[in-house]
Every structure is written in structure tokens, then in C-alpha cells.
Amino acid sequence: MHHGSRVMAVAVAGAIAAAGCPGGGGTGTGPKLVPDSPTIDQGRDLPEVPVKIVTTASAPMEGNTPAAASPILEAMASENARWMAQLGNEPDPAYYLSYQVVEQRAVGLDAEGGALISDSDETARNLDIDVRVGSPALDNTRALSDDDGLNSPRARRGVFPFGTDPVAIKNHLWLETDRRYREAVQALVYVRQDQQTLSKAKKRPPDFSASEPVVYSEPVAKLEFDKAAWIARLKSCSKKALTGAATRGSCNVVFQLNTVWFVNSEGSRIQQSYTSAQLQVSVGVKTDDGMGLVRLEQRFGATPGDLPSDAEIDKMIKTVTADLKALNEAPLAEPYVGPAILEGRAAGVFFHEVFGHRIEGHRQKDETSGQTFSSYIGKAIAPEWLSVYDDAMLKTLNGIQLNGFYRFDDEGVKAQKVSLIDKGVLVGFDMGRNPIDGFGKSNGHGRKAPGLPAVARQGNLVVEAARTVERADLEAMLIEEVKKQGRPYGMVFTDISGGFTNTSAFAPQAFKVNPVMAYKIYPDGRRELVRGIDIGGTPLIALQSIRAASREIETFNGVCGAESGWVPVSASAPSLLIERLEIEKSFVPPDRPPVLDAPNIRQTVGGAP
Amino acid sequence: VTYRSLLAVGVVALVPAVAIAKPARAPTSAAVTNDVLDQIAEEMVRDLQNLQLPNAPGPYHISYKITEVEVNDVVASLGSTTTSRPRHFVNLEARVRVGLFKDPMQFDNANYIVPGAEQYDGVASRPLPIEADGRISRRAAWQVTDEAYKEALIQLQAKMDARRSTGLANDLPSWTAEKAVVSEEPVVVPDLEPLEQMEERAKALSAGFRDQPHLRDSRVALTSYLERRWYINSEGTNVTDTRRASGIVIVATSQADDGQELAQYFARYGQTADDLPKNDELAAEIKKLSATLAALQKAPSLEKSYSGPVLFEGEGAVGMVRNSLAPHLGGTPLPEGLNPQQAKQFGGQLTDKLNLRVASRNISIVDDPTASSAAGKALIGGYKLDDEGVASQKVQVVKGGMLEHLLTSRTPSTKGAISNGHARRTTAGGMFHGTATNLIVSATGGTTRQALIGKLLAQAKSEGLKFGIIVRQFDDSAITAAPEFSRRELYTMVQSADIDLPPPASLVYKVYPNGKEELIRGVQLGELQIRVWKDVIGVGKTPLVYNFLAAPESYLANKFGGGTDDGAVPSSGIESAVVTPDLLFKEIDLKPITSGRRPKPAIPSPVGSK
């Protein structure tokens, strides 16, 4: 029960955001589930035309402006050195100490049905400390064999003063370092106790990998926007969105200015500063059978100015309102196993959930994890025309800004391009500073939200295909497959809201993703929208079932939540034809729509209600 | 004539109770206008008449509480800001009651906790626009009423099932009938202090802790807020009120030589910043806190348990009233199904003691939400109407030691009872509990401090004790909680904590027969039974007027998880005041605190170090 509830809790959080993300494993050890690898259909008859990808990138050290460095970095480095000079001599010596301070200004404007509901503009600074006690081979972060969660650092905000006054800054660094060091020493006691009871037969990889020191500073960015104009736009947008079947129609923006200072005992001193902007148009209704329907469209940009124009927002409104109306009238779907197309953005989310979370390196190490992919390194897991990489240095792909761009990860390591699947063969993992067998170094994917410890996370996931077909041909291939398999219809998924994947060894190594827009495609080409379904299955079988890809690639931008919090990500993929997907009925709560119709003011004012 | 006033039949007019007249007044609400209220009221009428599921009762009572909150919070440490946050939001809360029988008040859904699903409480809320929009406000009313109605039906069904299966009969009505009240005139209060001005003040004051390497953490927090509220119900009540408070909280922490954690605080609240101490007085308090912590570092611990007389002085006496008396004053029956741990937060030791002696004969206690000042000082616990729309009333709780009245809400504990306007704090299941507001303890026979000390020492001597004890302050975890614990330590403490104990005493002195006082640390009072109030053997002459925010969570909940963990300001909680003279109790149990000791930092504070 413990494992199930933990995974579900994360799944619920995931469903709220655009791209839901998995939880960690459970506790204890257990059997590892490694499915037999069937022969992979290599699709050699597909045209040898690759997907169209044009990218722009920025290397980590680009824009280095040493003169822009804040005196905060100096104060952080000085206090870090003062501590390390002593902590190396303690009975429980510390061998690594890092400070990360994030200053985040978040502007939130939210309108509902034409009225402004919230207007906030808050700035906070958060201090996170990573102190390692013991040695890189075995330190305080080693997971316990029967992990009850009590050995992990407590997630909380570390108070850090505004301004640059070294007295105030150093005192708070001192206070928090003392707390975190004490916590780490205590954790190491339990790690050592645990190690005494473990079998020595299995050699375990170390807990920490060193990295080259980085010294980089970029000027502090500016967040510029016309607040009054945005309020007017959001009010107008939400008024238009609250129409037809919708009982809720809202439009909101979140603008952020993040400045991050990072200092560690390896000698790194990094100042990064960037803005981000997000627009969301969302409508909702409860169907007659009690199912809560939400349809949302999000857009991301590096600045508020990158967000859509009024005309584009109108298109977003039209899309969500038309989809909501159609969904509200759509029948509930039945369980199904058969061929399906995942359209571009849906395929991106699918890859992010089903594959991406599995290749986050630390999951291959956790004793309680199924470690599904670790034994497949160097082996074919997908058709040879398919390659996948994760490149946080990418700024745009086919003209679309990518949400997963960064220069340095949250552990002070330079962003890198990481090849994950090369011509169908599994070749790599996204790595933070937590090594696994065969992958001893970070490749710049240690990421986190403020207040949480970093783990390996995705950045910009890109699915490439060396052989592709036109989109229309993909649908023809689907219908052909439907006939071949003797199914009454095939499925097309155009939007997936998120999902979760279980990586614990105690449960089936299954994933579940939640499609929002799912269509039955009949052999005669007729389309029928259905609702109330989930896609389930196991990751390796799903990857091996990919039969074809389209020429056009689409990008999903979003934020992903997992054990190290919410981080911005993107996933780009062509549309994919899957030979066999398993569709399950989703849970429909025993609820009902409002008893009375929505109030109509004009009918009641001054008259009988 | 507004739509709302047409609802009211046989209403009584209400005179504003908390009259605050000061310059620089806050403007009236731009968000909750008469049009907004009218639209919501219309929805209430429509829903009352039409909202009904087949084979189920419709609502017999609908109420809406609309709150508009404006808050400025700032915190500074060592001369730099750590938090600066303005907030403004509007919220609509609907409460729907469904009942059986011709008179549904005899048995309705409320005051019952659905096992495993306490969220079904007939209460629903959602944000309203922060600018006037009648159309969207009415839609919100439609949605929250619908949601609350469905919850109320589930709650009613579960309550009936429980009655059937347990066979427990309770012939008390579920709710009292109250007269409708109309008071539409806005209550105008002074505007908030500007955020920038508060920030400068907090920074300047907090710099007073610089260059003191014996401290761990320190901060100065300022809050300024107002809460406009409107209450409308289907009985015709239609009232508006505004609450306004400002506060300052100063905290510093340190560690004793043996590693024991130490925290000292200074907190004051008033209706505006004008009611708070001036800067020079605050600077002196900062110096005092710092000096006290320096003294506590070296002070001896209470070496062994003590049973004997204790003099509670100043804030110590306030703490005694807050922790041993106020929780028991509620006369609202606790909801069926409330878990015993939560129930303890609501006292209950006075429930069956009406018209019996509960305190020394010279002691009288009133609770007066209609008062706005006492002894020339502002009180913040007052209001015009309580959370069930009942007008505030002054209540004589204890007279000459005899318990005369408890503080009640509309959930009666006896047949024929009515509310005396003290519905404030909610229990699980969504019900309001009778709660203290401005609690005023008075006593005849007050003596000088010198005479009180003499009495303390004489009593100690007669008990064979070599010293007496003075308590000057209790800890308040909503103010002092610091994130010093690891997950594992927290888990251990939660497992082993005794929830029956009051907060530790944070400022305690031994007093010897020669009058010499000795500061000690590590003192925990034993469980406090209400009967100790029968043995108050001495009282002071001059009462202390003390305002505070009563945290909705327990001391331990704040200590372990919430409170000021993230350095925030305690600007939430129930506005409360205690007025009390110094109190000498004949016998109180004290025991040493051995927890909270941890290694000292490996290096000294950088403050003041070269």
C-alpha cells in the first residue's frame, strides 16, 4: 500500500501540470522485471528521409561577463571556504559543500470569465545547501536498503537576505550550513549502520562525482511587461473562454525573473539570470456522468514579449472551447488493444513519461527501483531509424523556444548534449552527480526546484527519425494496420496531459499516461472523439512497438514535477505509429454536474428568481 | 433599498461595536460592491428555492461569508530584508445546511465528521474577483452553493447512518434559531502601513542584532492587515464588518553551553502601528532579548521536578490564561467523530461545571468582543458579528469564582440555548466553536509585587521548598519555531511528544528567601488541570493588556512543522486579547526539559568574527 499511494500522489500532481512526472521507487529490494526482448521491426521499407529539425543553441560559457558578478558570490565563497577549512578536520569530515541561492520574482495574473481574480508580484530568495559527509565512495546521501524517507534532507526554504550585505548573508549561510551539516552527520550514522547489514557481494557505485570548477557570470536580466495591457488581455481572453458548455474559463500568465548564484568547494562561482513567461488558457466543465473535463493550452517564452499575439490567443480559445464542447458530447471509450498514432506533441509527452523518466540515471541505482534500462545499455530497444537525445543547450527547435534550456545545472555542472538512443540502441542516461555503473560523471542534468535536493532530470528531449513518412501516409498505415490486426478501429491521440511511470521493483514496471484528445479512426477514415481513457503498458514493449514516424516534428513545452520538484522541460517528437497500445478506462468519480443551470442575470434582476 | 435588505424580515438593527476612528482611512472595498452583494444574494434566494436533488431535502439554510483581505508582511534580519510581501485577495465561502423533519434545525447535517472523509462538511469556497464583477461573483456563488449542498447531503446521510448503527440518541437540536441582523454601513478603518515604510523600520530595528556572535538567528517581523467581511444568510442577516490589526514580532535564538536550544521573543499587536511600541522602546527590547539569551546560555537548568507555588508575572500570567483557561471556555459540543487528540485542543474541562465554583472567590472573568480598549490600550479581539452572523456580546464567564456562562455558537449544548456570538474557531467537520475573544480576568484583593513575592516565598517555605518560582513568559511556537530538526528528529519527537502539556516556560526565575532572583532554563509545566484556578492565592494590582494571534494549530504542530519555519510572519490566527493581573498559584508542577540539545556549530558565527 505504501508504494501505491506514493506513486499515486505524484501522479495526481502530475495530472495538474502539463506534463506529469513519476515518483521515485518504494522501499526495500525485490525481484527485477526484465521483459524478454522480442525482435524489433526495423521498418527498412520506410523512406530514407529524416525528420526536419533546425535548432539554435547557446554553449554554457557564452555571454560570460565577469564584471557582472554580484558581491553575493564573494560572500558565499568566503563562508564556504571558512566552513570547509574546519569541516575537513571534524570526526565526520565533509568533503564537499555547495551553496545555491535562487532569487525568484514571480508575477501572476489570473482572470476568470472576464474578471481579474488574482494579481500578485512576489520576490523571494531561497538558500539550498548540499553538504557531503563521509567520502565520495560512501556518503550521507546513500539510500538506505529499507528507505523510510527519514534519512533524506528535510525539504524546506532556507532563508537568505535580500541585498548584498556580507554580514547578513554570511550569518544565514553559517546558520544553514550548521543545520545541514548536523543533518548530514546524523544521516551518515544510519548509512553506516545499514551498510554493515548489506551483502558485500554486490559492488555499488559511489555516491558522488566531482566536476570541473566553473566560473561564469551573466548580467542580471530584466523582466519587462505592460501590466495594464496584460490584465486587459487576460480579462478579454477569459471572457471569451467562458462560453458554451464551459462552467469555468480562465486565462493566466506567470512571468518570472530568476537569478541564481552557485558556489561550491570545488571552486565554482556561477551567476545565471533569466526570465520566463507562461500563458495558459483553460476551460472546464463537469459532464452529465460526473467526469471533470479540463482543456488547456499553454505557451511558453523566454520573455513576456515572446508570448502569443491577441490573434493567436483567440485561436487558443477557439481550440479549447471547441475541444471542450466536443469532449462534453463525446461518449466514454471502451478498453482497447491495437494500433495507434501519437501525434507530435502527444508523442513528445509520451516519450518524456515512458522513456525519459526511465533514463534519469539515479533511478538505475536506487535499490528499490526496477532499474529497467540498466541491463539494456548497448542493446537495441527501438527501431534503428530512431534516435533520442537530451540537449539543454538548445534554445529553439524549428523556431519554437524550448523550455528546457539552461547553461549550468543545479549542481554547478555545464549543460551537455546527451545521446540516449543512437540508431535504436540504448547508449546513455541523463546524469547528475550521482554515478551509476558505467556512467561515473555528471552530464549536467542534476536539476531541482528550490528547497529540494537535485536528481537527474530531463531538459530538452528530442526524438529523431532517420526514416519518415508524410503525416497522411502515417494515417493510411494506421488503417492498414487496423485491417491487418482485424480491429474495428485504430486510435489517434493528439494531446496527452501527463501521467506517471512506476519505477519501483515492487510493482509492475508499467506506465500510465492520460490522453486528453483521443479519437477512434475507422477503416473508412471516419473519426470519433472519445473520453475517459488512459494508455497503459510497459516501456520497453512500447518502444519496440514503434513502426513509423512522420516527417514533421512538434514540440511540447511544459513543467515537470518529480521528487526534486517542478522543472521546465520540453519534448520534441515526430508523430509515431505504434503497432499495439493498450487503452484502459480511466476513473470517473461518482459526481454530477451542478443541479441548477448557471445563473442568467438578465432573467432574474428585478424579477422573480 | 438593496436587494439584500428586501430579504430581511423582522430584523434587528445593530450598532457597530468596534468603533475605530482614526485618520488615514482605508478606502471602502472596490471589489465587493453593493452590486456584487446583490447578485450573490439573488443566487442565494434562487438556490434556496430550487436547489434540490431527487429524494433528498433541499437546503433549509444558506449562508455566505465574503472576505477581502489586504496584508503587508515584512521580515528583516541583521539589517537586511528577508521577506517583503503584499497580498490582496477576496474569497467567498458558502455554508449549506440540510435537515430532516418539519423543523430541520432539530436534526441537520452539521457538527458531524464523516469517517475518513472529513472534507464533506457542507462548506465550499472559491476566490472572487479582486475588482467588482457581479456576474462572475454570482457564478461563483452558484458553484460553491452547489458544491456545499452536495457535501451537506453526504454528511447528513452519514450522520443518520451513524445514529442508526450506534443507537446513540441525541435529542438536542442541531442549531439554534437566531434573529436576523442587518448592518450594511461599512466599518471604516485606518489604512495599512505602507510596505516600504514597514520594510525600512524592520531593517533598521533588526540591525540591532548585529555584532552579537552569541546569537544563532534573529529577525524582526512587521505585519499590517485588514479583513473586510460581509455575511449574508437566508434568514435575512446581512452585515458587514472590518477587522484591522498591526503587529511586530522580534525573535532571537541561541544555544546554551550544553547545546540546549534557546529562543526569546517580543511580540505586540494593536489595531494599527500607532498602538505598537515606539522604535526606541523596541531597540531597548532588542538589547534585552540579546542580553537575556547571553544570560540563558550560562544559566543553570531546572535540576529536578518542582511542585509548589508559582507566580506568573506579566506575559507569564497571560500565558497561563491562554493555555490553561481559554481553551476550556467554549460551550459548543464537539462534533461527533472528532478524534480525541484534536478534541483536546478544544479543552472541555468546564463543560459540566456551570454554576459551580471553578476559580478562587476573588476572581471574575468576562469575555468581551464588544470592547475596543482596556486600561487605555487597544484590544484586537473584538468584532461586530461572529462567523455565524450573530452579534457580538459581552459574556460574564466567571463571577466571584463561579462559572456563569460558557462562550457559545449556534450549535447548542442544551435545549433552548442560543448563541452568545462567539463562533470563531472551526473544528474538523466545518463547525464553529465558541471561542475566547477579549478575555478579561479581574480580581479583588490585588497586592503589590513585593507582597506577592512575600506570599510566594511564604508558601514555598510552608511546602518545605528552598525557593519559589516566577514564570514571565511561555514559548509560542507560532513565533519562535525554527527549522532545527532533521526529518528523523521530527519523526521521533512527534512519536514521543505529550500533547497534553502546555508550551514550555521560556523565561523562568527561582526566587530565594533573600529576594534574589536566579534565571533558569529548561522548564516545562506539567499538565494543567482547570482546578488550579481554585487555588489562586495572590493577584497583582495592575492588569497587563496583551494582544496576540491565536494560532489555529496546536503548539506541537507549529513547533514541528509550521510556524515560522520559513521565516514568515505570524499574520494569520485568531485576533485575541487577554487582560490579566499577575497570578500566584498555590501549586503547579514543573519538570526539567532534557530534549532540544544538539552539538554546537563547528565554527563560530561569522558575525563579529574577524
Side-chain angles (χ1 to χ4, degrees), chain B residues 400-473:
Chain B
M402 304 293 281
L403 181 64
E404 291 200 340
H405 298 96
L406 289 170
L407 307 174
T408 59
S409 66
R410 291 186 68 173
T411 306
S413 57
T414 56
K415 279 187 181 175
I418 55 165
S419 168
N420 57 29
H422 282 76
R424 301 183 87 197
R425 187 176 175 191
T426 49
T427 57
M431 201 42 48
F432 287 108
H433 198 79
T435 309
T437 65
N438 295 317
L439 192 60
I440 300 158
V441 178
S442 59
T444 55
T447 58
T448 62
R449 181 168 187 275
Q450 199 178 4
L452 270 180
I453 299 277
K455 231 175 196 177
L456 167 69
L457 289 169
Q459 183 64 30
K461 191 178 176 188
S462 74
E463 302 278 340
L465 297 163
K466 290 183 176 143
F467 55 85
I469 293 282
I470 301 173
V471 171
R472 297 213 171 106
Q473 195 177 53

Side-chain angles (χ1 to χ4, degrees), chain B residues 99-416:
Chain B
L100 302 176
F101 316 125
K102 193 176 171 191
D103 177 4
M105 282 191 188
Q106 291 305 308
F107 184 86
D108 73 16
N109 59 295
N111 220 29
Y112 176 77
I113 295 171
V114 182
E118 60 180 59
Q119 72 273 22
Y120 294 122
D121 55 7
V123 184
S125 65
R126 68 168 52 207
L128 285 185
I130 54 174
E131 54 185 12
D133 190 314
R135 187 178 66 100
I136 292 302
S137 301
R138 179 165 182 178
R139 284 184 74 92
W142 162 61
Q143 284 163 320
V144 288
T145 315
D146 185 82
E147 198 180 320
Y149 169 62
K150 288 168 185 163
E151 283 188 12
L153 286 180
I154 293 169
Q155 193 181 22
L156 179 67
Q157 184 64 47
K159 190 175 174 182
M160 287 192 308
D161 291 347
R163 287 283 167 91
R164 273 192 216 106
S165 60
T166 60
L168 286 175
N170 178 353
D171 59 356
L172 279 178
S174 294
W175 222 28
T176 63
E178 303 285 343
K179 282 181 180 166
V181 180
V182 168
S183 177
E184 289 187 316
E185 197 58 35
V187 176
V188 180
V189 296
D191 210 347
L192 301 190
E193 290 89 41
L195 193 71
E196 297 73 20
Q197 191 183 311
M198 291 167 65
E199 201 172 324
E200 287 311 310
R201 191 179 188 198
K203 279 161 71 173
L205 287 167
S206 71
F209 284 116
R210 286 169 83 104
D211 304 323
Q212 293 178 67
H214 70 289
L215 300 181
R216 263 176 89 72
D217 195 8
S218 61
R219 65 176 174 272
V220 173
L222 287 167
T223 186
S224 178
Y225 68 90
L226 64 81
E227 179 184 320
R228 300 185 185 97
R229 32 168 86 193
W230 296 262
Y231 180 91
I232 304 170
N233 73 20
S234 54
E235 291 164 323
T237 288
N238 165 26
V239 280
T240 183
D241 195 3
T242 304
R243 298 174 186 187
R244 169 78 173 84
S246 290
I248 181 160
V249 174
I250 304 172
V251 190
T253 65
S254 185
Q255 237 180 327
D257 288 348
D258 62 4
Q260 187 172 51
E261 63 181 16
L262 302 167
Q264 291 287 301
Y265 68 93
F266 176 86
R268 294 291 183 271
Y269 287 86
Q271 289 162 4
T272 70
D274 289 346
D275 299 328
L276 303 178
K278 303 294 172 249
N279 285 347
D280 52 353
E281 193 184 333
L282 293 168
E285 290 295 340
I286 283 168
K287 282 208 168 73
K288 199 166 129 194
L289 282 190
S290 186
T292 303
L293 282 165
L296 278 169
Q297 279 188 320
K298 310 267 177 233
S301 296
L302 180 67
E303 62 273 30
K304 60 179 186 178
S305 295
Y306 170 99
S307 274
V310 176
L311 173 61
F312 292 88
E313 281 189 339
E315 288 181 42
V318 170
M320 198 60 185
V321 174
R322 273 178 78 174
N323 294 301
S324 75
L325 183 67
H328 302 289
L329 299 180
T332 309
L334 288 172
E336 293 169 46
L338 186 68
N339 89 44
Q341 307 306 326
Q342 282 180 301
K344 284 188 175 171
Q345 287 185 48
F346 293 89
Q349 290 185 26
L350 291 174
T351 310
D352 299 320
K353 296 205 163 34
L354 275 177
N355 303 315
L356 296 174
R357 194 165 80 80
V358 295
S360 298
R361 291 180 199 285
N362 59 330
I363 288 182
S364 293
I365 301 169
V366 295
D367 190 89
D368 189 2
T370 67
S372 63
S373 68
K377 300 225 165 119
L379 296 172
I380 65 165
Y383 49 81
K384 190 160 71 170
L385 70 147
D386 73 3
D387 283 21
E388 293 177 322
V390 177
S392 61
Q393 294 167 43
K394 180 177 177 179
V395 175
Q396 184 80 47
V397 180
V398 171
K399 191 170 186 185
M402 304 293 281
L403 181 64
E404 291 200 340
H405 298 96
L406 289 170
L407 307 174
T408 59
S409 66
R410 291 186 68 173
T411 306
S413 57
T414 56
K415 279 187 181 175

Side-chain angles (χ1 to χ4, degrees), chain A residues 15-51:
Chain A
I16 294 164
C21 293
T27 60
T29 54
K32 195 160 74 175
L33 189 72
V34 181
D36 291 329
S37 175
T39 310
I40 299 171
D41 183 340
Q42 298 298 355
R44 293 204 173 84
D45 51 342
L46 295 169
E48 220 170 312
V49 182
V51 288

Side-chain angles (χ1 to χ4, degrees), chain B residues 480-557:
Chain B
T480 63
E484 297 288 357
F485 316 110
S486 67
R487 281 178 199 246
R488 195 175 296 281
E489 286 170 329
L490 271 180
Y491 178 77
T492 309
M493 286 193 297
V494 169
Q495 295 295 312
S496 60
D498 183 347
I499 65 159
D500 292 328
L501 296 178
S506 54
L507 204 49
V508 185
Y509 296 81
K510 283 180 182 173
V511 54
Y512 293 95
N514 63 3
K516 187 186 158 227
E517 288 184 10
E518 181 186 24
L519 179 65
I520 58 170
R521 62 189 166 87
V523 179
Q524 172 66 59
L525 274 70
E527 190 176 348
L528 291 167
Q529 295 295 328
I530 197 78
R531 72 172 72 94
V532 299
W533 283 87
K534 288 189 190 177
D535 290 314
V536 177
I537 56 174
V539 293
K541 269 185 168 169
T542 316
L544 175 68
V545 178
Y546 191 81
N547 292 303
F548 60 97
L549 298 181
E553 301 84 16
S554 69
Y555 175 84
L556 289 175

